[in-house]
Structure formats: structure tokens, C-alpha cells
Amino acid sequence: MNARNIHAGLPTDLDRALLVGRVWRKTPSFEGPCVVLVRQGKMLDITHIAATSADLFDKPDLAALLNQCDGDELGDAADILASQLHDEPPALKLLAPCDVQAIKACGVTFAVSLIERVIEEQAGGDASRAQDVRASIQQLIGADLSQIIPGSDAAIRLKAELQKRGLWSQYLEVGIGPDAEVFTKAQPMSSVAFGDEVGLLPASNWNNPEPEVVLAANAHGVAVGATLGNDVNLRDIEGRSALLLGKCKDNNASCAIGPFVRIFDEHFTIDTVRTLSVRLRIEGEDKFELDGVSHMQSISRDPLDLLAQTYGAHHQYPDGFMLFLGTMFSPVKDRDQTGGGFTHHLGDIVTISTDSLGALVNRVGLCTEIAPWQFGTRALYRNLAQRGLV
């Protein structure tokens, strides 16, 4: 992967950040996944403390533990991340920072993505109709949906008005109704990492990245940190029917997470997450470029509300979970034809970044041509058992 114009992918305040991730190590005595800590820019193998990141996230006083622990030093984190973007295999292969956790995602939590989901539905997945549908919907709604509190009296009144106009949608229901959309994005162990390819179904002709902030929650439903994610989206297929969500969302390499989970401490809290600005950059081999920035302050549901709608008396996650908080940015810039909006080309480089979390960088490919997913949960525990870690 061409690393031109891509920064190292680490937080701007790296000297005080506690970052947890995973790498694939190969030594004379073992080969397999290891849990790592980045502290003051140095990467340490801390698998002796916890064999999986899920186990680590369950530790009490996690930030204090990570500030005090030791481990095998693997090198400078910036150098290791830079090596992931070279064409030759790196000596240390970065993995997604999660392992056996469930991968959950929240849909239409931002007004901009809400409008775009309605457009997909009204256009029936036909990108050529998107521009006309967008103009019609924005004229009909006549309201700033970002100011509507989901489930509020104002939201109920807006719902009634839109129903009168024949515009009510299942996406509006979860966007401004009382219940959030929470779905399973991907399977445990299936997420790809910084520097990996992300996959599109060959049948899709209208698709885009979905840059998101992702909470890392432990087995008790407590958020212990945050990272970045790309919830790769197939707009044409979901636009044909929301019942095709699984076909759109859960494919080989369709979920990228990383590069690291930043652990909550006095320097980085849930309040920091609420104020993040997330940037999206797309660079195509056809010289196409797209830049955008969105702000977590525009989210319609608080991150902790989304967490509570995922975990509680109604549903537990004994291995913890990763929670995508919803996309803030749906690219609509025309690429191939006027009025056709944006869609990926193979080879696109997607960079999702924010100062506190660094950057997640991936190249776009086809899920049928990317290396198949083969190292699952059973393979993980066989490997850990062979190494005497479980």
C-alpha cells in the first residue's frame, strides 16, 4: 500500500495516551496473536497479563494497571504502523484491537446519515435517482433533524406530520423514534486492521465507507475506551430492502477497526468522545479525492444511551463488545457522472482520523478476492493453549 500523504496513525498527544491493540508475532518459540500496549510511543507485548483484549478490558482499574505494567518491548509504535503500509509483509502484523468480543453497530444516529438512508430507500438503491430524491426529501421535511431529540414530543409531532405526507420511513423510525437501531455488524475475530484491505461485494455498484467512533465495552457493559471503525456500506443493496442489511454489512473484510483502543483515563474520557471531530479522506487511483469532517456533537443519541440500549437486563455480552456509534459522514460528491454521487473504486485508500485516536487506513478491494477469513475463535484458543496461556 502506498503510504504517500498518510501520517503514522497515532494520537497527537501520544506521550500521554494508553493504547491497547493486537499484533501477530512470530518468534523462535511461538507464533500467534499477542495483546500489546502502546505507552509513551513504545509498543509492549503484555499477553502475560491477559491472553485476549476481552480479558484485559475486564481488569479493574485498567488505566492504573496499564501505567504500571511491564512487557516485552517490540519497538516504536510509529515505525510499526508505518510498516503496515508497505507492500512487503511486515515483521509484526497489526491485528484489529478486539478479538472475541461481539461486534455491534448503531444505525442512523446522525441527521445526515438518516437523510441518506431515506434517500436510498426512496431511490430503491438506484444511485442515478439519488440527487432528485435528495432534493425532494429535503424540501418536504423542512426541518433540521439534528435538533430533534429522539422519542421527544417534537419527534412524535414530526412523525405524525411526515406520515400525513406519506414520507414516513423505517429509517426515520429508528432515527427520531425512542428505540435505536442496534445490529450485529460482524462476527468475533472477523474484523480487519489498519493497513488491511476492506471488502465490497462484487454485485454492489453504489457503496461507501462509513467512518465511525467505536466504543470498547467489557463484559459488564462498561465502556473502557474508544477506537475508529469503517462500517463498509453497500447503498444499492440496502436501498432495495432493509431486510438485506446482513448481506450489506457482514461480508469478508467488511469491518475495519483500529488501529488501537485508547483507554479511558484522566486525559481521555467519554466526554472527549462526545466532542471528537472525525475526518474522512478518500484517494482513488483515478486521482479522485474527497475530504470531509464531521462532529460527534451532532449525534442525536448520546453514546452512553446507545450503550444502554445494547447492554442491559435485556441482553448481556459475557465476552464484551465493540459498539459502532453510527456514521457521521455519507459522501455524496459526484465521481463517475453528474448526479450519480459517490461510489468506491477498487484501490481507493480510505483514511478515517481524529486527533485523539489517530488514523485508520485501508485499501478497498473485493470481499471475494481478499484473503478469506480463517483464524476464528477456536483457532485463537488452540493457539493460546499451545502457548500455555489458557
Side-chain angles (χ1 to χ4, degrees), residues 8 70 79 81 100 113 138 161 213 231 297 300 303 314 320 327 344 356 386:
D70 59 6
D79 292 340
L81 257 67
V100 299
S113 62
Q138 289 175 341
E161 178 61 27
V213 175
D231 175 14
Q297 288 178 326
S300 59
H314 64 290
T327 188
H344 270 308
S356 297
Q386 291 168 358

Side-chain angles (χ1 to χ4, degrees), residues 122-189:
Q122 295 288 318
D126 183 353
S128 67
R129 296 180 55 204
Q131 187 176 44
D132 290 340
V133 172
R134 183 177 295 108
S136 175
I137 286 176
Q138 289 175 341
Q139 181 179 9
L140 281 171
I141 288 178
D144 183 359
L145 292 179
S146 67
Q147 303 301 311
I148 299 294
I149 299 173
S152 66
D153 290 342
I156 294 170
R157 290 193 297 271
L158 177 60
K159 175 179 179 178
E161 178 61 27
L162 292 174
Q163 286 175 320
K164 288 180 183 178
R165 300 185 187 186
L167 190 60
W168 188 249
S169 161
Q170 57 203 334
Y171 294 107
L172 286 163
E173 179 65 50
V174 297
I176 65 175
D179 299 313
E181 179 190 15
V182 182
F183 60 91
T184 297
K185 164 60 184 177
Q187 307 308 305
M189 297 292 296

Side-chain angles (χ1 to χ4, degrees), residues 37-45 72-80 92:
L37 166 67
V38 175
R39 188 176 60 202
Q40 296 182 338
K42 299 298 182 182
M43 183 178 288
L44 307 174
D45 184 341
D72 294 338
E73 187 168 321
L74 304 180
D76 186 85
D79 292 340
I80 293 169
L92 277 175

Side-chain angles (χ1 to χ4, degrees), residues 1-2 80-93 195:
M1 184 182 294
N2 190 337
I80 293 169
L81 257 67
S83 72
Q84 310 301 305
L85 302 176
H86 299 159
D87 291 332
E88 64 274 10
L92 277 175
K93 173 68 181 73

